[in-house]
Amino acid sequence: MDISKLFEDFLAEAKNQDLVINYIEARKDGEIVYDWSRLHSKSRLNTWSVSKSIISLFCGILIDEGLITLDDYICDEFAEYVDDNTSENIKNLQVRHLLTMTTGLENALFFGDDAIRYVTKDWVSYFFKQSFPYKPGERFLYSNFNTYMLAVYMERKLGQDLLEYMTPRFFDPLEIYSVDWTRCPMGHIYAANGLYLQIEEMGRIGQMLLDGGVYKGKRIVSKEYLDMALTNQLGDDMDRLYGYFFWIDDGDKKTPRADGKYGQYIYVLKESNMVVSMMSLESKDIKPLLWDKVISKLQ
C-alpha cells in the first residue's frame, strides 16, 4: 500500500473543496511514514476538543493511582454547591457519567467561543445552577462542562493544580514541555478545549494510545483503562458510539479517535498498527473525506 499516495489523493480533493488543512502526520510501527505541512513551521495550535481526550487520560492515571474511581459521586467534592434544593439527579452524578457525556443536563451550556463564556466567572456555580431533568446515564448530551467539571473534581481530590500534577506523569514522559492550556477565570484549565499542541506532540500521544498506554518503555496509563476509554460505553438506544471522551468512528464502529473542532484528529488504527494525526482550520466536516480517502483504506 502506498500510504503517501492515499494522503496525496486526500489533499488534492481537499484543495478542490477549498478545505484548510494545516498539518498531517502518519505513524506506522512506531515510525513517522508521512509528514505534511501547509505552514512553514510546526506551530502549536488549539486542539479544541482533542483536549477532552487528554482529560480522559488524566482521569485514567488518577484511577490507576487509586485516587478516584469511576463510581465516585461528584457532589462529594462540591458540598458548598449542594443544598436541599439540589436535585437527586445531580446528587447521583458519578465520574463515569461525566466521561460518557450522560450527566442528565437539559442543555449543553456554553462552548469555547460562546459570548456567555466571557461574562461568567464561576463556571462550577454556573453548572450546579442548571437543570438536570434526566437521570445520569440515560441520555447522551455533548457538553464542554462535563469535561471541565471532571477536571475541577480531579483538582479537588488532588488538592493541587491539575496541570502541575500531570506534567511529570503525562507530558514530560511524552516529551511535551512548556505546556500551553487556556484557563477559566477561576484559574482552572479549560479542560474541554484550549490545549495547544504541535502535530508531532499529537502523534506521540496517539502512539502511546496505540501501544496500550506505554511510550518509550514507560507506562503512562493502564491498558485496562484504555480498553474502556477507547471502546463504546453507551447503550444501543443512544444511537452513537462514544467511550470516555473518545469517539468511536461510525465508519467501522470500532476505530477510536480524539476529535476537535475545525478538524483536529488523532485516529488510532490498531489493525494496521498506525496513528493518523491532523490539524486543520476548517468549519466544514472533514471526517467523511478523510475516512473515504485514507482511514478506511488503512484499516
Side-chain angles (χ1 to χ4, degrees):
M1 179 187 301
D2 189 340
I3 294 173
S4 296
K5 181 65 163 54
L6 294 179
F7 284 107
E8 288 166 4
D9 290 346
F10 164 78
L11 286 167
E13 182 57 31
K15 184 177 181 180
N16 287 338
Q17 297 184 25
D18 293 323
L19 303 178
V20 180
I21 314 296
N22 288 327
Y23 306 108
I24 301 174
E25 182 195 89
R27 295 169 179 244
K28 183 172 178 58
D29 302 330
E31 301 294 331
I32 297 175
V33 294
Y34 188 78
D35 189 8
W36 181 88
S37 174
R38 182 180 69 88
L39 306 174
H40 293 300
S41 62
K42 292 182 177 178
S43 300
R44 275 186 175 168
L45 302 176
N46 192 345
T47 61
W48 295 94
S49 287
V50 169
S51 307
K52 292 180 174 68
S53 299
I54 307 307
I55 294 297
S56 173
L57 300 177
F58 288 1
C59 185
I61 291 170
L62 294 195
I63 290 173
D64 294 340
E65 292 180 351
L67 298 175
I68 65 174
T69 76
L70 292 171
D71 297 323
D72 284 356
Y73 288 93
I74 301 304
C75 284
D76 289 347
E77 288 296 321
F78 296 98
E80 70 270 34
Y81 296 96
V82 179
D83 56 33
D84 293 340
N85 296 319
T86 303
S87 75
E88 288 301 311
N89 287 342
I90 300 178
K91 292 178 181 178
N92 290 327
L93 189 58
Q94 297 175 310
V95 166
R96 68 174 67 251
H97 301 129
L98 294 171
L99 285 166
T100 55
M101 299 285 183
T102 58
T103 54
L105 270 169
E106 182 175 17
N107 300 302
L109 313 184
F110 63 75
F111 282 82
D113 49 5
D114 290 347
I116 192 172
R117 171 193 165 190
Y118 305 115
V119 296
T120 304
K121 182 176 181 180
D122 187 341
W123 295 2
V124 174
S125 176
Y126 178 84
F127 177 81
F128 275 97
K129 290 176 180 177
Q130 303 305 310
S131 174
F132 290 78
Y134 305 97
K135 293 180 180 178
E138 73 176 17
R139 177 178 182 256
F140 180 93
L141 180 66
Y142 189 84
S143 170
N144 278 356
F145 269 81
N146 296 329
T147 315
Y148 174 78
M149 289 301 300
L150 180 56
V152 178
Y153 173 79
M154 289 190 286
E155 282 196 335
R156 289 195 170 212
K157 294 292 287 188
L158 290 170
Q160 181 180 347
D161 181 87
L162 185 60
L163 187 55
E164 290 180 2
Y165 190 83
M166 287 300 169
T167 293
R169 291 166 172 80
F170 182 84
F171 290 109
D172 285 350
L174 287 164
E175 301 169 333
I176 301 173
Y177 307 117
S178 302
V179 177
D180 304 305
W181 205 324
T182 304
R183 291 182 180 265
C184 77
M186 304 300 284
H188 309 294
I189 57 171
Y190 192 104
N193 58 53
L195 172 63
Y196 286 71
L197 294 174
Q198 291 179 308
I199 189 68
E200 296 102 324
E201 293 168 338
M202 288 178 63
R204 291 200 287 274
I205 292 169
Q207 188 67 53
M208 180 269 292
L209 296 173
L210 181 65
D211 292 341
V214 174
Y215 183 75
K216 290 190 174 180
K218 181 177 177 57
R219 169 67 61 187
I220 294 175
V221 62
S222 68
K223 184 178 183 299
E224 290 75 15
Y225 179 80
L226 289 183
D227 285 345
M228 295 185 291
L230 300 179
T231 55
N232 183 45
Q233 297 296 320
L234 303 181
D236 294 337
D237 59 330
M238 294 195 189
D239 193 33
R240 70 198 66 225
L241 302 170
Y242 198 73
Y244 293 156
F245 294 153
F246 283 91
W247 291 94
I248 314 303
D249 205 285
D250 289 332
D252 61 0
K253 303 190 183 306
K254 63 181 179 181
T255 298
R257 72 173 189 273
D259 187 321
K261 189 176 181 179
Y262 303 130
Q264 328 309 318
Y265 307 118
I266 303 174
Y267 275 91
V268 181
L269 311 179
K270 298 180 181 180
E271 293 182 8
S272 56
N273 202 32
M274 290 191 66
V275 174
V276 174
S277 305
M278 178 179 293
M279 305 188 84
S280 311
L281 189 60
E282 180 54 59
S283 59
K284 298 176 185 176
D285 186 3
I286 304 173
K287 289 191 299 297
L289 180 63
L290 181 62
W291 180 268
D292 180 59
K293 292 290 187 181
V294 179
I295 305 298
S296 64
K297 293 177 170 57
L298 293 177
Q299 285 289 62

